[in-house]
Amino acid sequence: MPEHSADISMSQSAPDTGLKRAVSPSNLNTDSAGAKPEQKRPKTQQGRPHRPRRLRKADADETVLDAIELLLRETWLNGRSATDCPGIPAAFGWSSGDQDAEAAYSRSPPIPAKLAGASEAECTFDVYVHEMTERGVSIAARETPEQLRELVSQGQRPWFFVVPFTLKGEQARIRSVRHEWGYTQSDLLEVTGKSPLRIEAPCAYFGRCSGCQLQHVGYNHQLEFKRQVVERAFAHANPLFGKLPVLSVSQSPLPYGYRTKLTPHFDLRKNTPIDNVPIGFNIAGQRRVLDIEDCMIGTDVVRRGFAQARKDAHAKMASYKRGATLLVRETNVPGEGVGTSVADTPAAELVKEYTLDPKSWVTDTVGDLKFRYPASSFFQNNASILPAFTGYVREELHKWSGQLAANDG
């Protein structure tokens, strides 16, 4: 529940000193002998006092809020036969435009959470997964689809959880971790009811690493999910756009082993042995680093560079004071005996290599074209899609230019 502070301007004299002190609820809370009873603040499991976190809409994930609203509207439409309401409500859980009621609901989570000082047992829940957001995390609630439909048909809304590594239609056991505006971030403990779309993720780190979100679903279903993301984005922007057909998503020639850039990192924490510092990517939902020895979405060259970057960082770990982000980037260089410069070497005769230097320049090729840019800057990280992607753009431009020329004639 939100905490309210009172600003009381009255004052009273301290009997022995003659000094003034502000009267506050804590000052007024004394026993008959004038002694102030012990005030205990809630503590976290680590024993530190817990400071309630003020929830703000600006801090919430906009994609999660959008997904929740879309889910509520779709649920209402699916269950509208159970209501006499002539039109879809403008808001669920409060009257349209009532910002105070929205804030009262969104800042008052009805369930405990780990980072709010709750015990493990208090913040463990069984939930039903109702939707996936465009970021690949899911929206879940304690209500079944039928219960959700009944609740929404009355213009109400449940409290939602954001759960990683789950699929629509699944049931899961979760740990509520951190409250946000109108929902609670959670950890996945167990999938208790699996979707038929679920597969065994090929990466050993999936489910702990925050890097990938969709490896538990087949590649063709990943493509359909991405098509639906675009479809929902159009519908959210304007109902008229929702009627536009969205074409199927083109496959990447390489579902894995395609990424030409990786940026593993590490943090130096107290009491961590210098020879045991984890280097990799963040643990899902946390700010701690998961030690990752190999990343299967990198190209073969990048994976070799990844191993070398880890080795180099461990070798000079004592020289770091805080931690660092490493860069592993694929580049194209002249092959042995071919030439001495990238500019003078035909694109087809360049060979793949990696660089670990953020200040170096790298070369990418698309067909017979060469692109030079700083290693730390942005370029398409899946080079395997570039020939088809740029070819499609050229074909469409050619079509449009032909139509414009015909119209002008």
Side-chain angles (χ1 to χ4, degrees):
M1 296 293 291
E3 293 193 353
H4 302 281
S5 60
D7 181 13
I8 303 177
S9 58
M10 297 170 58
S11 63
Q12 65 182 17
S13 299
D16 296 332
T17 63
L19 298 176
K20 301 288 185 179
R21 64 177 179 177
V23 176
S24 68
S26 60
N27 292 335
L28 294 174
N29 186 16
T30 58
D31 60 21
S32 58
K36 181 178 176 182
E38 182 181 4
Q39 300 292 318
K40 293 184 178 180
R41 297 179 62 185
K43 293 185 178 182
T44 64
Q45 293 178 347
Q46 291 77 24
R48 296 189 298 270
H50 165 66
R51 292 183 178 181
R53 175 169 167 259
R54 183 172 177 81
L55 304 181
R56 302 191 309 164
K57 193 172 186 177
D59 296 332
D61 187 332
E62 186 177 353
T63 64
V64 169
L65 297 181
D66 288 346
I68 288 175
E69 292 304 319
L70 187 60
L71 169 63
L72 292 170
R73 291 176 178 275
E74 289 180 347
T75 301
W76 187 92
L77 289 171
N78 291 335
R80 59 183 170 181
S81 59
T83 178
D84 296 328
C85 182
I88 188 168
F92 293 89
W94 53 81
S95 300
S96 178
D98 191 342
Q99 295 183 357
D100 291 338
E102 178 185 0
Y105 168 88
S106 302
R107 288 175 174 161
S108 305
I111 50 97
K114 184 177 180 181
L115 295 186
S119 67
E120 184 74 13
E122 290 175 322
C123 56
T124 300
F125 298 94
D126 291 316
V127 298
Y128 297 83
V129 179
H130 295 289
E131 192 55 87
M132 287 181 66
T133 75
E134 64 185 70
R135 296 183 186 273
V137 296
S138 293
I139 305 297
R142 289 174 290 178
E143 288 76 9
T144 66
E146 293 76 18
Q147 291 170 336
L148 179 64
R149 190 158 52 245
E150 181 178 354
L151 191 67
V152 171
S153 69
Q154 300 170 5
Q156 301 302 309
R157 70 166 66 201
W159 189 261
F160 288 103
F161 301 84
V162 171
V163 188
F165 311 121
T166 50
L167 299 173
K168 183 177 179 178
E170 291 188 325
Q171 300 173 42
R173 182 160 294 132
I174 64 169
R175 178 195 299 116
S176 59
V177 176
R178 184 179 68 254
H179 295 313
E180 301 289 354
W181 178 276
Y183 63 92
T184 297
Q185 296 280 4
S186 308
D187 288 338
L188 174 64
L189 300 178
E190 179 186 2
V191 177
T192 56
K194 294 184 178 181
S195 164
L197 300 181
R198 177 176 285 273
I199 65 170
E200 190 70 26
C203 178
Y205 300 104
F206 183 78
R208 294 176 294 155
C209 175
S210 62
C212 296
Q213 291 78 39
L214 298 177
Q215 287 193 15
H216 57 318
V217 64
Y219 186 59
N220 288 335
H221 289 106
Q222 290 182 31
L223 298 178
E224 173 57 20
F225 167 72
K226 294 178 180 181
R227 190 197 68 79
Q228 292 174 1
V229 167
V230 176
E231 194 173 58
R232 290 200 298 261
F234 278 133
H236 181 73
N238 190 311
L240 295 176
F241 294 166
K243 299 178 181 180
L244 295 175
V246 178
L247 301 179
S248 59
V249 179
S250 298
Q251 294 191 27
S252 168
L254 299 173
Y256 297 98
Y258 62 85
R259 193 171 177 89
T260 58
K261 175 188 175 185
L262 291 174
T263 52
H265 61 279
F266 62 90
D267 297 322
L268 295 181
R269 294 175 175 264
K270 292 182 179 179
N271 304 321
T272 300
I274 202 70
D275 58 349
N276 198 31
V277 175
I279 301 176
F281 307 107
N282 278 5
I283 298 174
Q286 300 184 30
R287 295 180 180 177
R288 294 188 299 123
V289 177
L290 177 67
D291 191 58
I292 294 179
E293 295 183 352
D294 183 30
C295 181
M296 65 177 297
I297 67 172
T299 65
D300 291 342
V301 168
V302 166
R303 292 170 77 172
R304 284 197 290 110
F306 190 91
Q308 187 63 49
R310 283 173 50 88
K311 182 179 179 180
D312 293 349
H314 279 301
K316 57 180 182 180
M317 191 63 69
S319 65
Y320 292 101
K321 294 183 179 180
R322 300 179 61 183
T325 297
L326 310 177
L327 173 70
V328 185
R329 187 131 210 181
E330 185 177 276
T331 186
N332 289 269
V333 298
E336 186 175 351
V338 173
T340 57
S341 71
V342 171
D344 297 333
T345 305
E349 298 180 10
L350 295 174
V351 297
K352 305 291 186 184
E353 191 50 80
Y354 67 82
T355 180
L356 307 180
D357 182 5
K359 297 181 179 179
S360 65
W361 283 71
V362 297
T363 302
D364 256 311
T365 62
V366 181
D368 58 352
L369 299 177
K370 291 177 286 188
F371 297 86
R372 293 273 288 170
Y373 55 92
S376 58
S377 62
F378 174 79
F379 197 83
Q380 173 55 244
N381 291 324
N382 184 353
S384 70
I385 70 170
L386 287 176
F389 179 74
T390 56
Y392 176 81
V393 173
R394 283 196 300 266
E395 289 176 6
E396 291 299 308
L397 288 175
H398 181 72
K399 291 178 184 178
W400 277 97
S401 62
Q403 293 178 5
L404 289 174
N407 292 337
D408 289 342

